[in-house]
Amino acid sequence: MNEINNFNANLELQHIYLEVYSERYSHLRTFLESYYCYQHGLVTKQGKPDWIQIFNIGKRTVAAHHIQERKLLVREMIMPLSVLTGYLKTLGRDDEATIDNIKTIIDEHLEYVIMTREEYNTLVDAGLKESMPAGYYQASEASYRCINARFDVVGITLLA
């Protein structure tokens, strides 16, 4: 990552910190997406975050692997925003909301999946657009803390 992208990524991280510290989560998606773009060098010629480039580097599903037409695809966070927000709220609640802790959580859980619209609709129909399956939270389950759990439950296979 070049120096300016690193600077901008850190700036977005500070925005995220301020949002978490102030317990304002409504604009979190925008800051997270910008952070991700700067972290991965997904910027326009003017140096602005370019979310469209996420379609080029995001993890693809088996069904979306050969599809190149962006209109047929959907980008989705691998971890739903509401769950990621929950992790950040926990940091705030436990008074552990530091930039380093926030960065660790984001870097571990923020990734994008590129899938077909049909797969996306399957995810929505199963009620997993903004939540993880119950097994994600239960230590006795095989999907405990498995970041792919919501895709596995509905039969969506991600490429390695």
Side-chain angles (χ1 to χ4, degrees):
M1 175 169 42
N2 71 29
E3 226 173 284
I4 192 72
N5 285 349
N6 190 30
F7 173 80
N8 286 327
N10 285 330
L11 191 61
E12 295 301 332
L13 196 56
Q14 290 175 28
H15 282 133
I16 294 166
Y17 169 77
L18 289 172
E19 294 295 304
V20 170
Y21 185 78
S22 302
E23 297 181 3
R24 297 182 310 217
Y25 301 100
S26 59
H27 299 292
L28 205 52
R29 181 182 296 275
T30 304
F31 294 129
L32 288 169
E33 197 166 86
S34 295
Y35 173 79
Y36 183 86
C37 287
Y38 286 125
Q39 279 288 92
H40 293 88
L42 309 177
V43 294
T44 64
K45 290 178 183 174
Q46 292 78 31
K48 303 294 182 200
D50 186 4
W51 64 266
I52 292 174
Q53 291 185 43
I54 292 172
F55 284 95
N56 299 330
I57 71 157
K59 275 187 174 181
R60 287 195 175 243
T61 63
V62 171
H65 178 63
H66 296 295
I67 299 173
Q68 295 302 319
E69 192 175 342
R70 191 174 57 82
K71 290 180 181 179
L72 302 175
L73 301 171
V74 176
R75 68 186 162 88
E76 178 70 17
M77 291 179 171
I78 198 161
M79 174 77 57
L81 179 62
S82 60
V83 177
L84 190 55
T85 301
Y87 282 130
L88 296 174
K89 285 180 177 181
T90 300
L91 285 180
R93 180 198 66 206
D94 297 344
D95 203 25
E96 295 176 359
T98 65
I99 289 180
D100 288 335
N101 287 346
I102 291 170
K103 181 179 183 340
T104 299
I105 285 178
I106 293 170
D107 290 346
E108 287 175 0
H109 297 97
L110 182 60
E111 196 171 347
Y112 285 88
V113 173
I114 309 305
M115 65 181 78
T116 65
R117 292 193 180 278
E118 293 78 20
E119 289 173 318
Y120 177 76
N121 290 334
T122 301
L123 203 60
V124 170
D125 292 344
L128 296 173
K129 181 181 177 349
E130 287 297 326
S131 64
M132 294 298 276
Y136 177 81
Y137 302 101
Q138 299 168 350
S140 61
E141 294 290 324
S143 60
Y144 179 66
R145 300 286 180 206
C146 176
I147 201 164
N148 298 336
R150 69 185 181 137
F151 300 101
D152 294 342
V153 165
V154 295
I156 297 173
T157 306
L158 302 179
L159 293 174

